[in-house]
Amino acid sequence: MNIAKKITLLFAILSAIIISLLSGFVWYFSNEFAFEDFYKRLEARVNITAQIRLSEDKSDNIYAKVRNQYLERLPDEKEFVIEKRELDKNTINSDLPEGFFNTINAGKVARHRKENQFYAGKSFISNQKTYIIIVSANDPVGFRELKDLQKILIAGFFLSVVLSFVVGWKFSNYMLNPLRNVIKSVKKIKAENLHLRLDVKQGTDEMSQLAQTFNNMLNRLETAFETQNNFISNASHELRTPLTIISGEVELAMRAETDIKKQQKALTKIKDEAERLEHILTSLLGLAQSGFNGKNQPWEQVRVDELIWEVQQTVNQVHPESKIEVDFSILPEDESLITIKANKNLLKLAITNIVSNACKYSNNKTVFITLLSKLNVISIAVKDQGIGIPQGDVQHVFEPFYRASNTSQFKGYGVGLPLSLNIIRLHRGSIGVSSQEQIGTEIKVLLPLK
């Protein structure tokens, strides 16, 4: 069952429940108050009957004539005047309940209805005797109105349920039509046309948010596909080069069977290219692992200042000739302002790559690391005095295996910064690059405290 049918059915059921409750209330209160006026008319006749039948005043005869002349008789109206000691309810009606007479004996006005036959009774004292006067009559008009109301309520109930079903069906189709349009548009989007986007209408309703969410997801998918294509293309190129060299050197070594020096040179070249190939594969593995969602890796509270000291030590071990100056002069005293929840090993790897590049491309001139905590953001700035990055190459430095045009004399594979970027994004941070050729480069890492 689709959502439209479920909404329609639910709407019809809820409407039926509400209408039935409303009809029940109307019927109950109509049944309670419809005959109130008729009961009052019977009670008035009980009092008049007592006045006429139990009084010896002659003026009451005149009163009886006026009553007969001007007070209409009710349908099937009957009067019963019985002395209490001679009371036999069978003389009145055998179906009158015992409670009816108990109410009269208690000095109150008693009422009773059986279908369309109404009774009203009361006790009176005359000449030291107690009499019970009961008046009964039919109320065909009120009873008929109640029956008509019952028919109207039943007919209205079924008509309202049918109407609510139709309205619910129209309403559900109207509300779900934008969702159907979204589904129809999403079905048209495939791997070969990821550039297509959904139409987002102005507003903040859920459908607009859903369309915008799909568009954001498509943006990420398109970026991921492009990155993957570029990654595969660059990886294929980088892997093919050492493999080609290795194949060529093997052929040379096989040809120079009697020349030991040529064979030794070829084997040395094969060893170097094999090591290069190993480095490329290790870097590829690092790039792949840095794309995980972080849920399967340990996260802990990390003090960023202590992490910087560890990075400095690591870089100095790998590049003993490097010079690194760390500036913590403007750090806050509260250690919580320099502590973040992070994957320590990955974050250390990302910062180490950035600092190591700064040392390498500045020919081991002094590299400055500045740590700053402000507005719930930790800033790590790494500034060198190296060769810089050409303006046209800055936007590509985070692409896997891309190397700036002025780095040919430096050994590298173009995977350090892309790996760092993936790790920083994993920590919901960002990286900014500012560079000027032959002056130096500054890379700033921003990490949220929470």
Side-chain angles (χ1 to χ4, degrees):
M1 184 182 294
N2 57 32
I3 295 179
K5 291 181 180 178
K6 288 182 180 179
I7 293 176
T8 303
L9 185 59
L10 181 61
F11 188 79
I13 291 174
L14 291 176
S15 299
I17 293 173
I18 294 173
I19 294 169
S20 61
L21 289 175
L22 179 61
S23 300
F25 279 118
V26 171
W27 170 256
Y28 173 77
F29 288 110
S30 297
N31 194 53
E32 286 292 319
F33 299 109
F35 304 112
E36 182 66 24
D37 180 66
F38 193 75
Y39 273 124
K40 289 182 178 179
R41 295 167 68 184
L42 286 180
E43 291 169 6
R45 281 162 173 73
V46 169
N47 293 326
I48 294 173
T49 301
Q51 183 70 27
I52 297 173
R53 302 283 293 272
L54 301 181
S55 176
E56 297 179 355
D57 193 346
K58 293 182 180 180
S59 61
D60 290 333
N61 294 327
I62 300 174
Y63 187 70
K65 292 180 181 179
V66 173
R67 185 260 190 220
N68 293 329
Q69 184 175 357
Y70 294 102
L71 189 61
E72 65 173 337
R73 293 191 66 83
L74 299 174
D76 197 20
E77 182 178 339
K78 298 178 182 178
E79 299 174 354
F80 303 91
V81 180
I82 309 161
E83 189 175 351
K84 185 176 181 181
R85 63 181 182 179
E86 299 176 354
L87 176 64
D88 182 3
K89 65 178 183 177
N90 291 327
T91 61
I92 306 171
N93 190 301
S94 59
D95 292 330
L96 283 174
E98 191 69 30
F100 180 83
F101 295 98
N102 292 336
T103 303
I104 293 176
N105 293 331
K108 300 178 181 178
V109 177
R111 293 178 176 181
H112 177 68
R113 178 173 74 88
K114 183 182 179 183
E115 295 182 355
N116 196 28
Q117 189 71 28
F118 296 81
Y119 298 88
K122 187 179 179 183
S123 64
F124 295 89
I125 299 175
S126 179
N127 297 326
Q128 299 181 354
K129 294 181 180 180
T130 301
Y131 295 90
I132 294 177
I133 298 180
I134 299 174
V135 177
S136 67
N138 289 335
D139 184 16
V141 176
F143 197 75
R144 185 171 58 252
E145 289 177 351
L146 201 60
K147 287 290 185 181
D148 292 340
L149 177 62
Q150 185 180 20
K151 294 178 182 178
I152 292 172
L153 290 176
I154 293 174
F157 171 78
F158 287 106
L159 182 61
S160 299
V161 169
V162 173
L163 185 61
S164 64
F165 187 87
V166 174
V167 172
W169 177 255
K170 294 291 185 182
F171 174 78
S172 61
N173 279 290
Y174 172 77
M175 294 302 296
L176 293 174
N177 193 52
L179 181 60
R180 292 191 182 99
N181 292 334
V182 169
I183 295 173
K184 195 178 296 182
S185 300
V186 171
K187 285 182 177 180
K188 296 179 182 178
I189 300 175
K190 299 178 182 178
E192 58 271 14
N193 58 359
L194 280 175
H195 62 278
L196 295 179
R197 293 296 180 269
L198 305 180
D199 292 331
V200 180
K201 295 183 179 180
Q202 297 266 340
T204 57
D205 58 274
E206 285 76 5
M207 289 302 173
S208 299
Q209 294 178 15
L210 178 63
Q212 187 60 53
T213 302
F214 267 113
N215 285 342
N216 293 337
M217 182 188 67
L218 290 171
N219 289 335
R220 294 192 296 270
L221 284 175
E222 185 178 17
T223 302
F225 267 80
E226 290 179 356
T227 303
Q228 184 185 44
N229 290 334
N230 293 333
F231 179 85
I232 293 173
S233 176
N234 292 328
S236 300
H237 177 268
E238 292 295 325
L239 291 173
R240 187 182 295 112
T241 301
L243 287 175
T244 302
I245 295 174
I246 289 173
S247 298
E249 293 298 327
V250 169
E251 290 181 3
L252 289 176
M254 291 176 65
R255 290 175 184 174
E257 296 179 357
T258 58
D259 193 337
I260 302 299
K261 290 184 178 180
K262 287 185 177 180
Q263 286 185 343
Q264 191 68 30
K265 184 178 179 181
L267 291 175
T268 302
K269 186 66 174 178
I270 291 172
K271 180 177 179 295
D272 292 340
E273 291 302 320
E275 289 178 352
R276 180 187 174 191
L277 187 60
E278 181 183 1
H279 283 300
I280 292 175
L281 291 174
T282 301
S283 300
L284 285 173
L285 180 61
L287 277 173
Q289 289 178 336
S290 68
F292 75 113
N293 58 14
K295 293 181 180 178
N296 299 325
Q297 298 292 330
W299 289 70
E300 57 185 302
Q301 294 295 327
V302 178
R303 282 192 55 158
V304 181
D305 55 343
E306 295 177 354
L307 184 69
I308 297 300
W309 288 123
E310 294 181 14
V311 168
Q312 183 188 28
Q313 294 174 3
T314 301
V315 175
N316 285 333
Q317 289 175 355
V318 178
H319 305 287
E321 67 280 6
S322 62
K323 299 176 184 178
I324 303 173
E325 287 190 10
V326 180
D327 182 7
F328 289 165
S329 61
I330 52 178
L331 286 184
E333 296 181 359
D334 187 359
E335 66 176 23
S336 65
L337 297 178
I338 53 174
T339 303
I340 64 173
K341 189 174 183 181
N343 183 300
K344 185 176 180 180
N345 293 330
L346 283 178
L347 189 59
K348 180 180 176 181
L349 175 60
I351 305 301
T352 301
N353 284 341
I354 295 172
V355 176
S356 179
N357 279 351
C359 294
K360 179 171 67 174
Y361 293 114
S362 62
N363 291 313
N364 296 316
K365 293 180 182 179
T366 303
V367 173
F368 301 93
I369 303 177
T370 305
L371 185 62
L372 176 64
S373 179
K374 188 176 181 182
L375 299 176
N376 291 323
V377 175
I378 292 180
S379 171
I380 305 171
V382 180
K383 187 175 183 180
D384 63 47
Q385 305 173 71
I387 61 174
I389 305 173
Q391 195 65 32
D393 294 340
V394 172
Q395 59 182 342
H396 301 292
V397 294
F398 293 110
E399 296 177 5
F401 303 108
Y402 183 87
R403 304 195 69 208
S405 56
N406 60 344
T407 60
S408 57
Q409 60 179 330
F410 297 91
K411 186 178 180 180
Y413 305 102
V415 293
L417 285 181
L419 177 58
S420 298
L421 177 63
N422 285 353
I423 294 173
I424 297 303
R425 282 179 174 175
L426 176 66
H427 291 78
R428 303 199 180 278
S430 59
I431 297 181
V433 180
S434 175
S435 183
Q436 192 170 352
E437 201 169 359
Q438 300 303 326
I439 294 179
T441 301
E442 181 180 14
I443 295 181
K444 186 173 291 186
V445 177
L446 301 178
L447 295 169
L449 281 174
K450 296 182 180 179

